[in-house]
Amino acid sequence: MNTTFSCVGCGKCCTDHHVPLTLDEARMWSDDGGQVIVLVEAFLPNGLGLPTAQREHAERRSTVVHSGTTEAFVAITFAAYNAGRCRNLDEDNLCRIYERRPLVCRIYPMEINPHIPLDITRKDCPPESWETGPQLILGGELVDRELARLIERSRQADREDIALKERICALLGIRTTALKGDGFTAYLPDMAAFAAALEQAPRQPGQQTGEWQFHVSCDEVANQVQASGARVVTEAPAHYAFISLRAA
Ligand code: SF4
Ligand code: SF4
C-alpha cells in the first residue's frame, strides 16, 4: 500500500479516543488534573487468548502474574480518558499542550502494534487528508524515519513500564483482567489514589503483588480459562467495567 498524508486538523482523533500514555505521560496527565482509564487484558502460557504470530510482541509488553494454578501474561494500558473532546483540545481544534502532547498523539494515524497494518478506512482522518502531503507509506514501508523512531519509543516504553504499572494496579486494588481477544476490563481510578500509587510503587521493587483473576464474556470462555488453571471471577463487577470484544 502507498499513501500520502497530511493532517487537516479536524480534531476527530482527539475526540472519543482514550489515548494510551507512557508512565511519565500518565504522571503528567494526572498532575494536569486529567482522568486516566486503566485497561487490562491477559493471555495464558498455553496460548489461550493469543494468535501465535503475535506472541513475541504481546509477551514483551506484558508481565508474568499468578492466577489459580497457572501464570498469566498481563498487559496494562494507562490511557487519557477522553469521553467526548480531549480536555486539551481548544475551540479551534488545536492542542493546548502541543509541545508536550503524548507520543501516541504524535504517532496517529500510524499503529503502534507491528501486527496491525495501517488501514485508512478505519481511521478518523477525512479522505482529503490522504490525498495530499508527503509520502507516508511507500511499498508497504513507513517513509518518515522520525515517525518510525517515535513508534519504537512507544513500544520501548510499553516494555519498560509494565512491571511498575502492575504494582500501581496492585496498590489500586486492580486484580481482574479480561482474556486478550475476549475483551478488556476498564477501571476509572480515583485520581488522588492514582497519584499516590504512582509515587509509592517505585519504592516497592520486587514486592509480590498478589493473584489475578479473569472476567470473561461467556461460559464457554470461562470453561477454557478454568481448564487452563486460571481463576475466573464469578461475582458481578463492582469497581470496573467489562468491555466485550465479541459480537453480541
Ligand atoms: S493531548 Fe492534544 S493531541 Fe492529544 S488527544 Fe488531546 S488535544 Fe489531541
Ligand atoms: S483525525 Fe487525522 S486529520 Fe483529523 S486531526 Fe486527527 S490526525 Fe489530523
Side-chain angles (χ1 to χ4, degrees):
M1 185 195 89
N2 298 335
T3 187
T4 56
F5 176 72
S6 177
C7 172
V8 296
C10 67
K12 285 199 183 129
C13 61
C14 307
T15 305
D16 286 325
H17 280 279
H18 302 321
V19 177
L21 303 169
T22 66
L23 207 44
D24 286 343
E25 290 166 352
R27 196 171 285 113
M28 174 190 84
W29 204 263
S30 167
D31 289 348
D32 284 353
Q35 175 69 52
V36 167
I37 184 169
V38 180
L39 300 163
V40 191
E41 57 176 357
F43 64 96
L44 291 165
N46 63 6
L48 191 64
L50 187 71
T52 313
Q54 297 188 13
R55 180 149 189 144
E56 200 183 330
H57 172 71
E59 251 182 43
R60 271 189 297 191
R61 60 185 303 272
S62 62
T63 190
V64 176
V65 299
H66 292 284
S67 178
T69 58
T70 185
E71 292 181 326
F73 294 85
V74 68
I76 299 161
T77 301
F78 291 168
Y81 180 67
N82 284 345
R85 289 168 69 83
C86 173
R87 65 199 305 274
N88 295 314
L89 191 63
D90 75 10
E91 304 69 37
D92 299 319
N93 287 336
L94 297 174
C95 176
R96 290 192 189 92
I97 59 162
Y98 189 79
E99 294 303 324
R100 59 185 180 99
R101 69 198 187 287
L103 263 180
V104 164
C105 302
R106 297 164 195 257
I107 290 168
Y108 195 88
M110 289 304 296
E111 302 286 353
I112 310 285
N113 187 332
H115 302 288
I116 304 178
L118 175 65
D119 177 356
I120 65 174
T121 64
R122 296 172 65 106
K123 294 291 169 179
D124 280 340
C125 311
E128 59 270 28
S129 64
W130 304 107
E131 289 159 8
T132 56
Q135 199 75 41
L136 180 68
I137 306 276
L138 191 59
E141 295 290 325
L142 178 58
V143 174
D144 186 334
R145 298 323 299 158
E146 174 57 14
L147 196 47
R149 199 183 60 77
L150 293 178
I151 293 170
E152 189 39 53
R153 238 176 79 194
S154 176
R155 289 178 189 159
Q156 183 74 25
D158 267 355
R159 299 194 281 268
E160 289 173 358
D161 291 350
I162 182 62
L164 206 46
K165 285 198 279 190
E166 203 268 332
R167 280 206 292 284
I168 291 166
C169 282
L171 289 166
L172 293 169
I174 295 175
R175 296 284 89 186
T176 304
T177 178
L179 182 69
K180 193 170 167 56
D182 190 47
F184 290 94
T185 51
Y187 299 79
L188 285 177
D190 169 79
M191 288 309 290
F194 185 81
L198 276 175
E199 280 287 307
Q200 200 180 332
R203 294 192 226 118
Q204 307 174 332
Q207 185 155 319
Q208 291 291 317
T209 54
E211 192 188 12
W212 283 77
Q213 55 191 352
F214 283 78
H215 187 123
V216 296
S217 64
C218 62
D219 288 347
E220 186 190 341
V221 181
N223 290 339
Q224 291 171 350
V225 170
Q226 275 169 331
S228 307
R231 217 174 116 200
V232 172
V233 67
T234 44
E235 69 273 22
H239 61 302
Y240 65 91
F242 176 74
I243 303 168
S244 178
L245 292 178
R246 308 235 167 211

